[in-house]
Amino acid sequence: MASTQWMVRARCRDIDPEVFFFRGAKQSRRALRVCERCCVRQECLSYAIAHQIEFGVWGGLTERQRRRLLRLYPTSSEAVAAAAS
């Protein structure tokens, strides 16, 4: 199982989780702005993909974006590498 030590460095750690689990595009923009400058964005995305997390913004991607990424790149390592580029 993947380590979760990166979570203590995440920019979102002190932000209300409701920001990342939302309804509507306006809320997703707010969450994505937080992720934009996060130093553990790739680790977060890797975790979400490896654990098949279906809801919320993780690693700067919405659930719809993660699903699309996984359709294009079936393995989690390929998907994370593609998102990083």
Side-chain angles (χ1 to χ4, degrees):
M1 186 171 289
S3 169
T4 57
Q5 293 177 347
W6 57 269
M7 290 181 177
V8 298
R9 297 187 345 259
R11 212 166 163 251
C12 62
R13 73 185 173 278
D14 296 323
I15 296 175
D16 183 356
E18 293 290 319
V19 170
F20 301 92
F21 300 91
F22 53 82
R23 291 178 195 238
K26 183 177 182 181
Q27 287 281 57
S28 74
R29 285 190 296 273
R30 183 174 175 209
L32 295 172
R33 278 195 309 269
V34 171
C35 296
E36 216 169 56
R37 296 184 308 269
C38 185
C39 66
V40 294
R41 185 175 173 179
Q42 189 166 352
E43 291 93 332
C44 181
L45 179 59
S46 295
Y47 181 85
I49 289 174
H51 290 86
Q52 300 175 349
I53 297 175
E54 296 182 19
F55 302 103
V57 171
W58 288 79
L61 297 181
T62 64
E63 57 265 21
R64 180 179 287 171
Q65 292 168 320
R66 290 193 306 277
R67 281 193 303 269
R68 181 175 183 276
L69 194 60
L70 285 169
R71 278 194 304 273
L72 294 171
Y73 304 95
T75 68
S76 27
S77 59
E78 288 175 324
V80 171
S85 59

